[in-house]
Amino acid sequence: MLTLHGYYRSSASFRVRIALNLKGLEVAHISHHLRRNEQRAPEFLALNPQGLVPALQTDDGQVLLQSMAIIEYLDETHPSPALLPGDAAGRARVRALADLIACDIHPIDNLRVLRYLRTEMGQDEDAIQRWYNHWIAEGFAALEPLLASGPSGAFCHGDAPGLADICLVPQVVNSQNYKLDLSPFPTISRIYEACLALPAFAQAMPGQQPDAE
Amino acid sequence: MLTLHGYYRSSASFRVRIALNLKGLEVAHISHHLRRNEQRAPEFLALNPQGLVPALQTDDGQVLLQSMAIIEYLDETHPSPALLPGDAAGRARVRALADLIACDIHPIDNLRVLRYLRTEMGQDEDAIQRWYNHWIAEGFAALEPLLASGPSGAFCHGDAPGLADICLVPQVVNSQNYKLDLSPFPTISRIYEACLALPAFAQAMPGQQPDAE
């Protein structure tokens, strides 16, 4: 069986949970409490020197790192249902939508970055909130027209959920941390609701995890 | 012919330039001066609402966004030489190495983030330098053992350069902006030198571009 090293509040772990659910794959979960720095324990650093979750261990002991690389691996080794379109142009579009979130929004708002702003730069909670929402709003402002002008359908790229939806949903959940106003982003909101109607997404939500507090 | 919207100092454009060179593809270059905010001009925002470079226009007028998605597209549409290994586990490793840089180092040190730190958070140049080098050093500290324990060969994954090398070289170039000490990272330094010995990498260097100042 696969083993996912994750944490209920980790957005990148959340992405992998959705992908595993969409693929119908069974997985054992090992939780690493990020706010207690459990991901920096020597046993976990031996698996992943970056000290970040998620990491996915396969049956043969391979350790896969980085959520986007893990999801591409799951899609290649368990092709159905596909998380990427069948054509190269479609795949490029979906990967670009996903990377807009995974590269240009999420890492800048990550826990370790917020910690640095607090401890090394002495920023208060108001400044952290403005920072956090600034990067989501800037990213969503680009994502919204890209999604609205795409192929019709309930999801980011037509009528089936895929890699872009897998990135979008955790980012929308994060946008609720500091109550970002989502009214300028009707397409994002519509797709988010469509995803949450699917058990694969709903059951991957942070509050549904056994390590949720 | 392909048209690359880029900027000589943009690391993400640099990645795409290397990939195009490795594939031997001809491309027209359109430069958008980032420090003069040319990437926020209405004509470019119509192509890419995110207002970031690179963007790649294809012969049939398609606009591809996000460097990592563009490079995957180039690899799918021009398979030789391959930028990813032939096996799923190898591809997962190379994509993870690439994403460690493309998600967890580069975006946090991006120009727009440094601007926010200066203008919205009032940080001085010393603080910016510490921030900049902190994220590179933290990422490289994880990358170094991951690279050192990988398949033998001159590059990140064996004897041919690929997606991870394409991300590594621009990040090492960035590490020179604030003179990060690279002596703790001998494997990274060795691979960087091996890449620069190849014309595909050397000719993609920022200083070699027609828009270099």
Side-chain angles (χ1 to χ4, degrees):
Chain A
M1 191 160 51
L2 297 164
T3 302
L4 179 64
H5 295 266
Y7 181 54
Y8 78 108
R9 289 186 64 171
S10 148
S11 303
S13 304
F14 188 177
R15 289 179 201 149
V16 177
R17 293 197 299 263
I18 300 167
L20 289 163
N21 290 349
L22 284 168
K23 296 289 185 184
L25 293 170
E26 248 196 297
V27 63
H29 290 273
I30 297 181
S31 174
H32 301 267
H33 197 300
L34 300 193
R35 287 179 193 271
R36 293 191 204 123
N37 264 335
E38 288 179 2
Q39 77 284 7
R40 309 293 304 176
E43 312 87 69
F44 187 64
L45 286 176
L47 285 183
N48 178 6
Q50 209 184 356
L52 294 176
V53 293
L56 187 74
Q57 279 185 289
T58 62
D59 296 332
D60 55 4
Q62 216 190 320
V63 181
L64 307 177
L65 307 179
Q66 290 286 337
S67 63
M68 305 301 282
I70 292 170
I71 296 168
E72 293 261 3
Y73 173 88
L74 292 173
D75 203 38
E76 290 181 357
T77 54
H78 301 85
S80 180
L83 303 179
L84 288 166
D87 60 309
R91 282 193 294 278
R93 178 174 183 268
V94 169
R95 286 192 178 114
L97 297 171
D99 286 351
L100 194 157
I101 298 167
C103 298
D104 289 340
I105 302 178
H106 173 253
I108 307 175
D109 279 351
N110 215 344
L111 183 60
R112 64 199 181 109
V113 174
L114 305 185
R115 274 183 178 156
Y116 189 103
L117 292 172
R118 276 191 200 98
T119 57
E120 306 296 322
M121 289 185 163
Q123 298 296 310
D124 63 19
E125 281 311 296
D126 282 353
I128 298 285
Q129 171 171 358
R130 283 194 300 277
W131 168 280
Y132 195 89
N133 281 348
H134 173 80
W135 301 111
I136 304 176
E138 186 171 287
F140 280 6
L143 199 57
E144 176 68 24
L146 290 171
L147 290 173
S149 64
S152 66
F155 300 101
C156 288
H157 194 80
D159 276 322
L163 183 64
D165 306 279
I166 286 171
C167 292
L168 181 66
V169 166
Q171 193 59 61
V172 172
V173 169
N174 282 353
S175 77
Q176 297 161 352
N177 283 343
Y178 289 109
K179 300 184 176 43
L180 179 70
D181 174 18
L182 290 181
S183 61
F185 315 117
T187 313
I188 289 173
S189 301
R190 172 180 65 70
I191 294 171
Y192 174 72
E193 294 299 332
C195 289
L196 280 202
L198 301 178
F201 286 83
Q203 292 167 6
M205 289 283 278
Q208 301 301 309
Q209 306 315 304
D211 57 337
E213 291 165 318
Chain B
M1 191 162 49
L2 297 164
T3 303
L4 179 64
H5 296 265
Y7 181 54
Y8 77 106
R9 289 186 63 171
S10 149
S11 303
S13 304
F14 188 177
R15 289 179 201 148
V16 176
R17 293 197 298 264
I18 300 167
L20 288 162
N21 290 350
L22 285 169
K23 297 289 186 184
L25 294 170
E26 248 197 296
V27 63
H29 291 273
I30 297 181
S31 175
H32 300 267
H33 197 298
L34 300 193
R35 287 179 193 270
R36 292 191 204 123
N37 263 335
E38 289 180 4
Q39 77 284 8
R40 309 292 305 176
E43 313 86 70
F44 186 65
L45 286 176
L47 286 183
N48 178 7
Q50 208 183 358
L52 294 176
V53 293
L56 187 73
Q57 279 185 290
T58 62
D59 295 333
D60 54 4
Q62 215 190 321
V63 181
L64 307 177
L65 307 179
Q66 289 286 336
S67 62
M68 305 300 283
I70 292 170
I71 295 168
E72 293 262 3
Y73 174 88
L74 291 173
D75 204 39
E76 290 181 358
T77 53
H78 300 84
S80 181
L83 302 179
L84 288 165
D87 60 309
R91 282 193 294 278
R93 177 174 183 268
V94 169
R95 286 191 177 115
L97 297 172
D99 286 351
L100 193 157
I101 298 166
C103 299
D104 289 340
I105 302 178
H106 174 252
I108 307 174
D109 279 350
N110 215 344
L111 183 59
R112 63 199 181 110
V113 174
L114 304 185
R115 275 183 177 155
Y116 189 103
L117 292 172
R118 276 191 200 97
T119 57
E120 305 296 321
M121 289 185 165
Q123 298 297 311
D124 62 19
E125 280 311 295
D126 282 352
I128 298 284
Q129 171 171 358
R130 282 194 301 275
W131 167 279
Y132 195 89
N133 281 348
H134 173 81
W135 300 112
I136 304 175
E138 187 172 287
F140 280 6
L143 198 58
E144 176 68 25
L146 290 171
L147 289 173
S149 64
S152 66
F155 299 100
C156 288
H157 193 81
D159 276 322
L163 183 64
D165 306 279
I166 286 171
C167 292
L168 182 65
V169 167
Q171 192 60 59
V172 172
V173 169
N174 283 352
S175 78
Q176 298 162 351
N177 283 342
Y178 290 110
K179 300 183 176 43
L180 179 70
D181 174 18
L182 290 180
S183 62
F185 315 117
T187 314
I188 289 172
S189 301
R190 172 180 63 73
I191 294 171
Y192 174 72
E193 295 299 331
C195 288
L196 280 202
L198 302 178
F201 285 83
Q203 292 167 6
M205 288 283 278
Q208 301 301 310
Q209 306 316 304
D211 57 338
E213 291 165 318

